Amino acid sequence: MQFIDLKTQQQPIREDIERRIKAVLDHGQYIMGPEVTELEKRLADFVGARHCVSVSSGTDALLIAMMALGVGPGDEVVTTPFTFISTVETIALLGARPVFVDIDPRTYNLDPNLLQAALTDKTKAIMPVSLYGQCADFQAINAIAAKRGIPVIEDGAQSFGATHRGEKSCHLSTIGCTSFFPSKPLGGYGDGGACFTDDDELAKRMQQIRVHGQDRRYNHPLIGVNGRLDTLQAAILLSKLDVFPEEVARRAAVAEQYRKLLDGKVVIPFVEEFNTSVYAQYTIRVDARDEVAAALASQGVPTAVHYPVPLHRQPAFASLGYPDECFPHAEEAARQVMSLPMHPYLAVADQVRIAEALKAAVAR
Ligand SMILES: *Cc1c(COP(=O)(O)O)cnc(C)c1O
């Protein structure tokens, strides 16, 4: 049994992927070829945004979004300590200070009730993460941000395809960012990502920043990066996108099956009634997590921990000066969370096996 099964996913679309790759090999426009433009158009339509700027990774999407908003030294960017390192390392790379707000323990996302108190005159942006495939509470967050005119960037690396109050993830705030890392809900076969916005000016800036800050060849109004998505990767993502809506539905069905098997036995994911999740991870909470994970491993059931260390405790961020115990909900989640195998093609028989092994492990 695999944690994520990319091979099964590939089988029905393999021929289409090969056809698209061959087309790229034939036309030879490996950088910013026609597939990139086609993918951006289709992604923008999917999300409902005016603009999609494809980029080289989810990390670069966050970096380029913040660069377009002018985040730099002396600024503060408010975010969550319970996320993948990218969210926070990009803030620090720009010389800005990450300011952490604890999570809502039910959703694992930034708690809007704690947001106001974290804002200062230096707050340049708010960057909530839509963790495990469920959007943060953008309606509440946007309302607080709007009062002070602060832009909001969604780290939607795990939530592409999810919805919040009927709107798609990545179209919920000033800029939405996502990742096409192979294991993400919409994954390519390498690195990739995208930024989405309805703001024409921001879109133009992000397009320029992605290509060394240039507006035309050898003319650089901005400082930028090499942040383009490869044409080959765009070709693969076009094939993946064809089956993506069906896969989102399959993910929901797998999650529903898990709920039937596990509700009341362990703490299962909680999804707000105004959200739909794409279950990038199916993450539960258990006591003695590491023992339970070892018991499952001995039964051939792979699990993962997203994430064992909240970021204010990472050595790289020690200089921020946060004491260990200052975000109790993030700390407790880091001790208890465990992600079970999750992908659109997970068989019910495997889920039953996982559930049996899990119930036996937590009963010990
Ligand atoms: C995966 C991920 C990223 C980074 O995406 P890459 O494409 O791997 O650079 C950023 N934030 C979160 C929450 C992620 O899960």
Side-chain angles (χ1 to χ4, degrees):
M1 187 186 315
Q2 291 175 66
F3 190 70
I4 295 176
D5 183 355
L6 296 177
K7 253 220 152 80
T8 301
Q9 177 194 47
Q10 191 185 77
Q11 277 158 15
I13 55 174
R14 173 79 185 224
E15 266 179 42
D16 192 62
I17 292 172
E18 286 179 1
R19 177 182 64 79
R20 288 189 196 267
I21 289 176
K22 185 170 177 299
V24 177
L25 299 182
D26 288 343
H27 70 55
Q29 294 179 57
Y30 303 121
I31 302 293
M32 299 304 282
E35 285 79 2
V36 173
T37 319
E38 187 185 346
L39 179 70
E40 287 181 339
K41 169 86 180 60
R42 281 189 52 196
L43 290 173
D45 286 350
F46 179 86
V47 158
R50 272 174 70 84
H51 304 280
C52 167
V53 181
S54 64
V55 296
S56 45
S57 70
T59 306
D60 283 339
L62 300 173
L63 189 70
I64 289 168
M66 282 189 281
M67 288 172 80
L69 290 168
V71 172
D75 294 332
E76 294 178 351
V77 177
V78 177
T79 188
T80 159
F82 195 60
T83 176
F84 185 60
I85 187 89
S86 296
T87 320
V88 179
E89 87 190 334
T90 47
I91 298 169
L93 270 174
L94 290 172
R97 180 183 167 83
V99 172
F100 293 123
V101 169
D102 205 358
I103 55 170
D104 176 335
R106 299 168 313 151
T107 62
Y108 306 99
N109 285 328
L110 186 150
D111 185 347
N113 296 316
L114 305 175
L115 178 56
Q116 185 76 51
L119 303 180
T120 74
D121 293 344
K122 295 179 184 164
T123 310
K124 187 78 173 182
I126 301 168
M127 193 150 76
V129 178
S130 296
L131 205 70
Y132 303 152
Q134 171 171 216
C135 297
D137 189 350
F138 277 88
Q139 187 176 72
I141 293 166
N142 287 339
I144 295 164
K147 271 192 229 143
R148 307 185 46 155
I150 301 170
V152 179
I153 302 171
E154 179 186 13
D155 181 345
Q158 301 184 10
S159 59
F160 194 76
T163 63
H164 171 70
R165 298 186 185 275
E167 282 283 331
K168 287 260 172 42
S169 173
C170 295
H171 189 226
L172 302 174
S173 62
T174 318
I175 301 175
C177 298
T178 198
S179 162
F180 306 126
F181 186 81
S183 60
K184 305 286 167 151
L186 178 60
Y189 293 152
D191 282 307
C195 302
F196 297 85
T197 186
D198 284 342
D199 184 314
D200 298 346
E201 190 53 39
L202 279 175
K204 200 173 110 194
R205 290 174 71 86
M206 293 192 290
Q207 278 156 357
Q208 293 179 4
I209 291 166
R210 144 180 91 174
V211 194
H212 308 289
Q214 73 178 25
D215 57 354
R216 55 180 198 278
R217 205 156 196 210
Y218 301 129
N219 192 64
H220 304 269
L222 300 170
I223 294 174
V225 296
N226 178 354
R228 294 164 297 219
L229 181 74
D230 291 339
T231 308
L232 278 168
Q233 214 50 253
I236 291 158
L237 284 162
L238 280 167
S239 291
K240 290 279 198 108
L241 189 55
D242 285 338
V243 292
F244 184 65
E246 185 198 319
E247 290 189 345
V248 171
R250 281 171 169 267
R251 286 176 174 279
V254 171
E256 173 60 13
Q257 185 63 40
Y258 267 139
R259 187 191 65 75
K260 286 185 191 149
L261 291 166
L262 296 175
D263 198 10
K265 312 292 193 298
V266 295
V267 180
I268 62 169
F270 167 82
V271 178
E272 300 272 17
E273 39 87 18
F274 48 74
N275 284 341
T276 60
S277 177
V278 284
Y279 297 96
Q281 316 294 347
Y282 192 88
T283 304
I284 61 167
R285 275 182 197 255
V286 289
D287 291 324
R289 185 255 327 273
D290 295 343
E291 285 80 355
V292 173
L296 288 178
S298 75
Q299 301 290 307
V301 175
T303 60
V305 176
H306 307 94
Y307 297 91
V309 183
L311 295 183
H312 65 285
R313 287 189 180 227
Q314 286 291 350
F317 298 120
S319 64
L320 294 176
Y322 284 103
D324 275 0
E325 298 294 339
C326 56
F327 303 110
H329 294 308
E331 311 268 347
E332 186 171 44
R335 281 192 299 269
Q336 297 183 329
V337 293
M338 182 170 79
S339 303
L340 301 179
M342 169 48 97
H343 58 84
Y345 307 95
L346 188 59
V348 174
D350 283 338
Q351 291 192 269
V352 170
R353 237 189 83 203
I354 294 163
E356 293 310 315
L358 182 58
K359 282 186 271 186
V362 296
R364 282 209 307 208

